[in-house]
């Protein structure tokens, strides 16, 4: 006889129940209840298949189906009593099913194990999150493309080392992020395709002797096919790691843009004005409008990277097949997913609402000798001077302008000639920032015409 306090699901060989500390370290119900809908969907597919293959009767399958729907509605309405003693979502659902329908509930777990069950549930959950990320990315890309179109020809300084480098266009800068988030989108779609195989029916690790139909359950759950190796299927968390690494790279992009928005919205830059809807005030300094959303997006990256690293560490030492260590996968992924979706939505909101300050951008674009390269290129093109020499001459002119506290277009032709006798009046035609950006028509360059071509391409992609 089994002690009454031993586990009702696996307590057959146990004489006593677990220590309270054991229960605390063992239970995952506190968090894996988020997979309740997936767990019930998996069980419904499994039960229908067991009936179709003659492993259980149609009557039992029908009782299980109805009972599972009742359990789902209890969970959705919040009346379901989750029990730590029942460890996880799988056993909580099954135990409640037993209370509702009695004996047939005990037949549901035929030809399956919690190992393939949890892998299936978790995959279904992660798959939904890939879909949510795809949506969030598409919305953000759409907002960036709109910004790029509105300011395709606005000039602004382009930076390297955060030092003024060459003038670029606002549209070009926005479209740079579109490319980054576009790669994130393709990683999301790619990973989602790869992960869409059903572990259900792999059982504990070795498969099962029951005549199950894994194609049937795979199809019922929207998977492309069943996994091909049961040992791999129950011990694989690559799908979660691909989710986290894809989230990490995307979060890094979000963070870089957030950092730019923090800098750009400062009084020193004034490149953008963020909307009131995505800013906060200070309780002591009345003039303050803080870019908190951008700062928090920048910070969220830490926990997303952390989740990726944590799960990598969990998995790296595990022999095949399932080990309980793997239960630590969920909280990391849940937290990363919540924060990734929130960061995507917040960034989309900020981008939609923000105003690029065209005049400040233009003023900054013209300062800092941003057209020095244009000057050197002119000498190469018109005077046939080797680029290295032109670079040297231009450097001397920059030093002269800097010494006088003026910009390059403020130097006179005589000033120019004193450094290189061949320079003519024509040089001034290339020193303006508009001219500079308009001239950069190479494919992918900053010229408004190039930006508009990329905007058109993305609009077609977005449909
Ligand atoms: N709660 C467990 C997890 O999240 C479910 C699988 C338990 N399997 C087992 N053999 N104990 O991983």
């Amino acid at each position: 006889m089994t002690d009454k306090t031993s586990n009702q699901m696996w307590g057959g060989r146990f004489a006593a129940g677990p220590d309270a500390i054991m229960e605390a370290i063992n239970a995952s119900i506190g968090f894996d209840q988020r997979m309740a809908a997936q767990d019930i969907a998996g069980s419904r597919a499994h039960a229908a298949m067991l009936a179709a293959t003659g492993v259980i009767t149609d009557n039992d399958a029908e009782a299980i189906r109805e009972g599972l729907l009742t359990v789902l509605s209890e969970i959705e309405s919040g009346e379901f009593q989750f029990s730590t003693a029942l460890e996880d979502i799988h056993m909580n659902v099954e135990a409640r099913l037993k209370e509702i329908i009695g004996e047939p509930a005990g037949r549901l777990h035929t030809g399956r194990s919690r190992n393939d069950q949890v892998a299936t549930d978790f995959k279904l959950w992660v798959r939904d999150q890939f879909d949510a990320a795809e949506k969030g990315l598409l919305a953000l890309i759409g907002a960036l493309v709109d910004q790029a179109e509105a300011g395709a020809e606005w000039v602004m300084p382009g930076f390297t080392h955060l030092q003024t480098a060459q003038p670029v266009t606002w549209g070009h800068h926005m479209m740079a992020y579109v490319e980054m988030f576009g790669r994130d989108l393709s990683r999301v779609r790619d990973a989602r395709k790869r992960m869409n195989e059903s572990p259900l029916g792999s059982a504990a690790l070795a498969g099962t002797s029951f005549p199950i139909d894994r194609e049937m359950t795979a199809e019922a759950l929207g998977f492309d096919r069943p996994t091909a190796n049961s040992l791999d299927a129950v011990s694989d968390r690559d799908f979660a790691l691909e989710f986290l690494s894809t989230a990490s790279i995307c979060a890094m992009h979000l963070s870089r843009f957030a950092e730019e928005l923090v800098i750009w919205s400062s009084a020193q830059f004034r490149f953008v004005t963020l909307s009131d809807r995505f800013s906060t005030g200070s309780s002591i300094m009345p003039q303050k409008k803080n870019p908190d959303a951008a700062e928090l997006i920048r910070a969220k990256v830490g926990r997303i990277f952390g989740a990726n690293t944590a799960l990598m560490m969990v998995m790296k030492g595990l022999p095949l097949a399932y080990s309980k260590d793997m239960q630590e996968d969920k909280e990391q992924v849940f937290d990363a997913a919540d924060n990734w979706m929130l960061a995507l939505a917040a960034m989309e909101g900020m981008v939609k609402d923000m105003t690029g300050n065209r005049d400040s951008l233009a003023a900054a674009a013209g300062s800092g000798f941003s057209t020095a390269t244009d000057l050197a290129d002119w000498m190469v093109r018109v005077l046939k001077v080797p680029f290295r020499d032109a670079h040297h001459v231009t450097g001397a002119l920059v030093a002269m302008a800097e010494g006088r506290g003026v910009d390059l277009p403020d130097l006179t032709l005589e000033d120019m000639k004193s450094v290189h006798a061949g320079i003519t009046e024509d040089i001034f035609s290339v020193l303006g920032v508009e001219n500079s950006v308009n001239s950069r028509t190479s494919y992918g360059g900053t010229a408004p015409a190039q930006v508009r071509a990329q905007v058109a391409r993305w609009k077609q992609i977005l449909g």
Side-chain angles (χ1 to χ4, degrees):
M1 241 336 254
T2 315
D3 184 288
K4 277 205 298 298
T5 56
S6 73
N7 188 290
Q8 58 172 285
M9 296 291 164
W10 45 251
R13 78 187 298 286
F14 284 74
D19 188 89
I21 298 292
M22 178 59 205
E23 199 170 285
I25 195 172
N26 198 35
S28 54
I29 189 60
F31 48 86
D32 67 15
Q33 54 183 268
R34 280 188 77 166
M35 306 192 304
Q38 289 76 11
D39 191 71
I40 288 169
S43 287
R44 287 182 56 190
H46 187 67
M49 180 278 291
L50 290 178
T53 53
V55 178
I56 64 173
T57 65
D58 287 343
N59 282 348
D60 283 348
E62 183 53 25
I64 290 170
R65 194 186 79 85
E66 301 237 325
L68 286 170
L69 288 176
T70 307
V71 176
L72 182 62
S73 71
E74 287 178 0
I75 291 173
E76 280 171 354
S77 70
E79 69 195 86
F80 190 96
Q81 295 291 318
F82 291 105
S83 149
T84 312
L86 288 166
E87 282 187 39
D88 56 27
I89 185 63
H90 325 294
M91 298 207 293
N92 269 266
V93 168
E94 196 186 315
R96 179 69 188 125
L97 183 68
K98 178 111 189 278
E99 284 172 8
I100 300 170
I101 69 169
E103 202 228 66
R107 302 189 195 283
L108 170 60
H109 213 53
T110 313
R112 133 183 131 168
S113 146
R114 273 191 294 156
N115 297 349
D116 57 337
Q117 194 180 358
V118 72
T120 304
D121 294 2
F122 196 31
K123 269 195 166 179
L124 291 173
W125 196 92
V126 170
R127 196 176 68 185
D128 283 350
Q129 296 300 309
F130 271 125
D131 293 342
E134 179 180 36
K135 262 180 131 178
L137 279 164
L138 285 168
L140 174 56
I141 290 170
L144 285 162
V145 169
D146 288 346
Q147 281 284 356
E149 189 173 32
E153 76 274 342
W154 300 359
V155 290
M156 66 179 284
F159 301 92
T160 61
H161 315 263
L162 200 56
Q163 308 289 317
T164 301
Q166 294 172 346
V168 295
T169 50
W170 169 264
H172 196 217
H173 203 114
M174 294 300 126
M175 292 308 285
Y177 282 99
V178 167
E179 290 298 319
M180 293 182 233
F181 294 123
R183 287 192 296 274
D184 293 330
L185 183 65
S186 98
R187 268 184 285 274
V188 162
R189 288 174 169 165
D190 180 51
R192 196 234 193 249
K193 208 181 297 162
R194 189 166 26 256
M195 62 94 74
N196 201 29
E197 296 184 339
S198 173
L200 195 57
S202 298
L205 73 166
T208 176
S209 56
F210 290 101
I212 59 169
D213 183 349
R214 296 191 56 213
E215 301 277 350
M216 183 181 166
T217 46
E219 200 190 317
L221 295 169
F223 288 112
D224 295 328
R225 64 192 79 82
T227 52
N229 182 303
S230 61
L231 279 173
D232 172 51
V234 294
S235 64
D236 166 42
R237 291 295 180 271
D238 289 4
F239 61 96
L241 287 165
E242 284 200 54
F243 179 80
L244 293 174
S245 51
T246 301
S248 293
I249 296 174
C250 177
M252 174 273 288
H253 294 148
L254 287 166
S255 180
R256 293 181 73 174
F257 195 26
E259 167 72 359
E260 296 212 293
L261 292 178
V262 170
I263 295 173
W264 289 1
S265 60
S266 69
Q268 288 68 29
F269 272 74
R270 292 187 195 284
F271 283 8
V272 291
T273 305
L274 300 176
S275 74
D276 290 355
R277 301 187 332 138
F278 283 94
S279 315
T280 62
S282 157
S283 54
I284 177 168
M285 298 164 283
Q287 86 284 8
K288 289 291 285 281
K289 190 166 151 188
N290 297 325
D292 295 44
E295 296 169 80
L296 286 163
I297 288 170
R298 194 172 55 183
K300 295 279 183 210
V301 179
R303 55 207 288 177
I304 295 173
F305 287 8
N308 187 41
T309 305
L311 188 54
M312 283 288 213
M313 296 305 287
V314 166
M315 295 305 295
K316 77 170 188 62
L318 302 184
L320 299 187
Y322 177 86
S323 296
K324 197 60 173 266
D325 311 49
M326 289 160 68
Q327 180 167 284
E328 289 287 314
D329 54 4
K330 283 167 228 56
E331 283 168 294
Q332 302 296 343
V333 172
F334 291 166
D335 185 73
D338 290 344
N339 285 289
W340 186 20
M341 301 317 148
L342 192 55
L344 282 170
M347 188 57 95
E348 186 213 339
M350 265 195 305
V351 170
K352 262 191 182 151
D353 275 19
M354 75 185 182
T355 313
N357 299 326
R358 191 173 180 175
D359 294 344
S360 307
L361 290 163
S367 67
F369 315 107
S370 65
T371 52
T373 315
D374 298 86
L375 196 160
D377 286 350
W378 180 89
M379 293 182 69
V380 171
R381 211 171 40 246
V382 179
L383 304 182
K384 312 295 177 209
V385 173
F387 181 78
R388 280 286 155 235
D389 299 343
H391 185 286
H392 195 79
V393 169
T394 307
L397 288 169
V398 166
M400 179 189 282
E402 192 169 40
R404 296 193 200 155
V406 298
D407 271 308
L408 284 174
D410 304 321
L411 294 177
T412 65
L413 184 59
E414 274 56 52
D415 295 333
M416 304 263 189
K417 281 181 177 298
S418 73
V419 179
H420 191 283
I423 295 179
T424 67
E425 187 70 31
D426 185 49
I427 189 82
F428 290 97
S429 69
V430 301
L431 295 184
V433 288
E434 252 87 19
N435 175 85
S436 170
V437 297
N438 284 329
S439 72
R440 296 212 153 72
T441 52
S442 54
Y443 180 79
T446 205
Q450 278 299 323
V451 172
R452 290 203 178 91
Q454 293 302 322
V455 166
R457 182 171 76 82
W458 272 98
K459 282 189 150 182
Q460 198 155 12
I461 293 170
L462 296 175

